[in-house]
Amino acid sequence: MSAATAAPRPSAASIRSGVLGQTWYMTQRQLMAIARQPAYVVITLIQPVIWLFLFGSLFRKVVELPGFTASGTYLDYLVPGVVVMSAVSSTMWAGMGTLEEIERGTLNRFLVTPVSRAALMNANVVQQGITTAAQSALIVLIGRLGGAHYPGGVPGLLVLVAASVLLGTVFGACSNALGMLVRQRESIIGVNTFLLLPLTFLSSAFMAPALMPSWMRHAASANPVNWALVASRSAMTADPDWARVLGRGGALLALAAAAVWLSTRTFRAYQKAV
């Protein structure tokens, strides 16, 4: 679903405010467009809740299997998995919005303004991050109402939300770069469909690593989706392993920075081709 709108002329104050101010100006434009699509907002927020209780009911007896070492109920284990899966599945489509901006000519009109090129490209990623944070908070709340427990308290939950936002930044920026490169909806749909389920199931989103085949555990160790899960679950325990949190969180931060850099470089290549 796109957040494209007509291209307003940035105010003089926003132009003078630097890259951060310009990025926030463009982000507000994206958020206003989303606010005008209530059906999209409802679906975005409700879909993860369906996953939460669908998977929670289907796999609730998994915790009784020998080797499932996670404490608590399966719902306790599942909440971080659904938060991270939702972050991935929603931000992977950011490139569709970028592609629509190109097709409408909105992006090209912004190119003749003094707005920073980084702000033009990253506003979509920031908007996706805000949406991901709101979605994550809702899943955590619904999970708590459903009986989930969070022994790590507020710090653990903040790590969960931060990890989901960083992961969403990775996939949102990469999706933007893909949209700039291929400029075809079918290609974006094909890549996203191909990657979503393998990335999710080659992680500990729904199953404890001890119960996974050896090759899947090794694949998960190199999967950014699993990095977010390891950091989140480590922080959400009663006795957090902050070394694991910082290690996986730092890796996610570095990957997010690289993805944003790639997205910006791809945009500059597009700009030269216009």
Side-chain angles (χ1 to χ4, degrees):
M1 193 66 73
S2 170
T5 61
R9 174 174 288 276
S11 66
S14 69
I15 292 173
R16 290 193 300 268
S17 61
V19 175
L20 291 179
Q22 292 169 14
T23 300
W24 177 239
Y25 174 88
M26 301 301 295
T27 300
Q28 287 177 300
R29 168 179 167 271
Q30 299 271 350
L31 292 172
M32 288 173 61
I34 289 178
R36 298 191 186 104
Q37 305 174 66
Y40 171 67
V41 174
V42 170
I43 291 172
T44 300
L45 295 177
I46 293 300
Q47 186 181 47
V49 177
I50 296 174
W51 288 343
L52 186 66
F53 289 104
L54 180 64
F55 287 119
S57 299
L58 182 62
F59 298 120
R60 68 180 183 277
K61 291 188 179 294
V62 168
V63 294
E64 300 174 9
L65 293 175
F68 195 98
T69 56
S71 60
T73 66
Y74 185 67
L75 187 61
D76 297 346
Y77 185 83
L78 182 62
V79 169
V82 173
V83 166
V84 169
M85 181 181 178
S86 299
V88 174
S89 63
S90 59
T91 56
M92 287 181 82
W93 301 99
M96 297 290 277
T98 300
L99 185 60
E100 188 163 339
E101 295 266 17
I102 294 173
E103 293 175 347
R104 289 173 178 261
T106 307
L107 193 58
N108 291 347
R109 289 197 291 272
F110 272 119
L111 288 176
V112 300
T113 71
V115 174
S116 164
R117 281 22 181 177
L120 287 175
M121 201 65 207
N122 294 333
N124 189 311
V125 175
V126 176
Q127 173 263 309
Q128 292 284 346
I130 293 173
T131 303
T132 298
Q135 189 179 61
S136 301
L138 178 65
I139 296 169
V140 166
L141 176 61
I142 297 298
R144 184 69 185 90
L145 294 175
H149 300 89
Y150 310 125
V154 174
L157 294 176
L158 289 177
V159 169
L160 172 62
V161 173
S164 68
V165 170
L166 284 175
L167 189 67
T169 299
V170 171
F171 286 99
C174 288
S175 181
N176 279 335
L178 181 64
M180 287 285 178
L181 290 172
V182 302
R183 304 185 199 176
Q184 293 180 336
R185 297 177 185 276
E186 295 80 6
S187 297
I188 296 176
I189 293 171
V191 170
N192 289 355
T193 303
F194 175 75
L195 290 178
L196 179 59
L197 289 182
L199 284 171
T200 301
F201 287 102
L202 288 175
S203 74
S204 58
F206 304 116
M207 186 60 63
L211 298 178
M212 296 165 62
S214 175
W215 70 269
M216 291 186 72
R217 287 198 300 272
H218 285 91
S221 65
N223 184 355
V225 175
N226 201 59
W227 299 350
L229 288 165
V230 171
S232 300
R233 291 199 175 112
S234 297
M236 292 174 69
T237 61
D239 184 20
D241 185 345
W242 292 110
R244 298 186 79 190
V245 174
L246 293 175
R248 301 309 193 283
L252 275 176
L253 180 60
L255 189 60
V260 170
W261 176 84
L262 174 65
S263 176
T264 304
R265 293 290 296 180
T266 306
F267 179 74
R268 294 187 187 281
Y270 164 81
Q271 183 181 352
K272 292 178 181 179
V274 174

